[in-house]
Amino acid sequence: MFTYPDDIYEKLEFDKVLSKIAVYCYGAPAKSLILGMRPFDNRRKIERMLDEIQEFQKSMDLGYEFPLSFYESIDEELKLLAKIDYVLDVEQYISIYVHMRMIREIELFFEPAERKAELPLLYLISNQITIDPQILDSFQAVFSDDGKIRMDASPDLERIFKLIISKERELNKAFARSIEKYRKLGYLTDNLESVKNSRRVLSVNAENKRKIKGVIHDESSTGKTVFIEPEEILEINNELFELEADKRQEIYRILKALSAQLRPYIDDFALWQKILVRYDVIRA
């Protein structure tokens, strides 16, 4: 039996070929798959892959825009989602949502009968897709198209958001009055205001700090400026902080419910990721 040296792929610069191909992948999972490839020795498999590549080229020649774009691995998200009552970070839900939207777009891409006939091998890959419209609806009820939590994701969240907006307007007006009042008295520095401990504060000349009632949050490194939250906005700020806490709690409740809705579909998400990776490799 003839054996090849361990570094045969490097000597043939096969690794460089793979590196050049990997650059064209949208997602890290496809890049990893390509970089780990070794030459195939199954003629049927090679011919099938080449036929798929030719079909993808054909779709481009026909002017079709295949719905594939940047995506991230969701392996970690799926592991965490499998844990009962686990709540993912917003970014992790968005990663799953990106996969779902792309898979749905691929499904729609192959809806026309002529496209299925023109690209039979590519269509066969997508034929594994079955999306329950309910989980797409669940995502769209929580997230807007720009990946942010919707203000109306629940009646309570919508109410809290409206109260926050109203309270922020009240705070802005009260703070503007404080700035104008103490600016005229000459108590403030040129900067007028700052933010300390997530609260808006007045930038006060140190010699005037006892002339303004309120809470001192910090002072400058030189000691010449003191940052004071004026008494007249303390109550508004406290109410705003309570509303922000209520918002976080309601968002947590919404995301926990979303996790429960998604958990039965973990195997589907894993399959869809494999489909995206396969299309990505073919395209690259």
Side-chain angles (χ1 to χ4, degrees):
M1 178 186 291
F2 184 81
T3 58
Y4 294 100
D6 292 338
D7 62 348
I8 182 64
Y9 302 122
E10 288 75 16
K11 284 185 174 178
L12 293 174
E13 297 193 339
F14 186 68
D15 56 328
K16 292 184 180 179
V17 174
L18 295 178
S19 295
K20 287 194 174 187
I21 297 172
V23 169
Y24 293 102
C25 292
Y26 281 120
K31 290 180 182 179
S32 296
L33 183 63
I34 284 177
L35 291 174
M37 278 184 175
R38 288 294 179 262
F40 300 119
D41 57 6
N42 184 315
R43 183 187 179 93
R44 179 177 291 182
K45 183 174 182 179
I46 294 168
E47 289 176 344
R48 175 59 177 256
M49 291 182 73
L50 288 172
D51 288 342
E52 289 172 347
I53 292 166
Q54 282 186 324
E55 272 198 12
F56 206 102
Q57 181 64 56
K58 180 181 177 182
S59 76
M60 295 170 67
D61 293 341
L62 290 169
Y64 296 146
E65 189 170 339
F66 196 84
L68 196 63
S69 56
F70 176 78
Y71 63 95
E72 296 176 342
S73 169
I74 57 169
D75 290 340
E76 184 63 25
E77 284 78 358
L78 297 185
K79 286 179 186 177
L80 295 173
L81 190 61
K83 299 178 181 179
I84 302 300
D85 291 336
Y86 194 91
V87 177
L88 304 176
D89 294 335
V90 170
E91 294 76 14
Q92 292 176 308
Y93 288 106
I94 295 300
S95 293
I96 296 175
Y97 187 32
V98 166
H99 279 224
M100 286 187 59
R101 280 172 51 175
M102 213 178 303
I103 283 292
R104 177 56 180 153
E105 287 167 8
I106 290 171
E107 195 177 38
L108 293 173
F109 177 84
F110 285 107
E111 270 195 350
E114 66 271 14
R115 204 165 288 177
K116 294 174 185 175
E118 290 167 340
L119 311 169
L121 295 178
L122 296 183
Y123 167 64
L124 196 60
I125 298 170
S126 76
N127 208 25
Q128 305 171 76
I129 300 170
T130 305
I131 293 186
D132 183 345
Q134 187 177 348
I135 54 170
L136 267 175
D137 292 343
S138 297
F139 264 107
Q140 289 164 352
V142 175
F143 296 103
S144 58
D145 288 338
D146 60 359
K148 294 180 181 177
I149 301 284
R150 293 172 60 97
M151 288 178 60
D152 59 352
S154 78
D156 280 346
L157 188 62
E158 186 173 20
R159 176 185 58 81
I160 292 167
F161 264 115
K162 287 178 178 177
L163 288 172
I164 287 173
I165 291 169
S166 174
K167 194 58 65 176
E168 284 176 339
R169 286 182 188 143
E170 186 182 345
L171 175 64
N172 288 337
K173 289 178 182 177
F175 199 79
R177 288 194 296 269
S178 293
I179 287 178
E180 186 62 17
K181 173 183 174 181
Y182 296 118
R183 185 186 63 79
K184 286 182 178 178
L185 292 170
Y187 295 169
L188 306 182
T189 66
D190 292 338
N191 292 332
L192 298 180
E193 66 171 294
S194 186
V195 176
K196 297 292 178 182
N197 303 321
S198 300
R199 293 191 179 232
R200 290 179 70 181
V201 292
L202 299 170
S203 296
V204 182
N205 290 312
E207 60 268 24
N208 297 316
K209 67 180 181 181
R210 300 190 187 282
K211 298 175 184 177
I212 298 178
K213 291 183 179 180
V215 175
I216 296 176
H217 282 271
D218 200 1
E219 65 176 39
S220 65
S221 56
T222 62
K224 293 181 179 180
T225 303
V226 178
F227 301 101
I228 300 176
E229 184 181 4
E231 186 179 57
E232 47 266 52
I233 70 164
L234 276 173
E235 186 176 347
I236 302 173
N237 252 336
N238 288 337
E239 291 173 356
L240 194 54
F241 262 64
E242 287 178 13
L243 286 170
E244 289 289 347
D246 290 343
K247 182 181 79 172
R248 288 192 296 272
Q249 188 173 0
E250 178 60 11
I251 288 175
Y252 182 87
R253 187 198 67 77
I254 291 168
L255 294 180
K256 185 176 180 180
L258 180 61
S259 285
Q261 291 173 299
L262 300 180
R263 197 162 288 116
Y265 299 95
I266 288 176
D267 290 343
D268 295 284
F269 293 136
L271 172 63
W272 297 341
Q273 176 168 253
K274 289 178 181 177
I275 291 172
L276 290 181
V277 169
R278 185 162 176 190
Y279 280 126
D280 200 3
V281 169
I282 292 169
R283 177 189 167 277

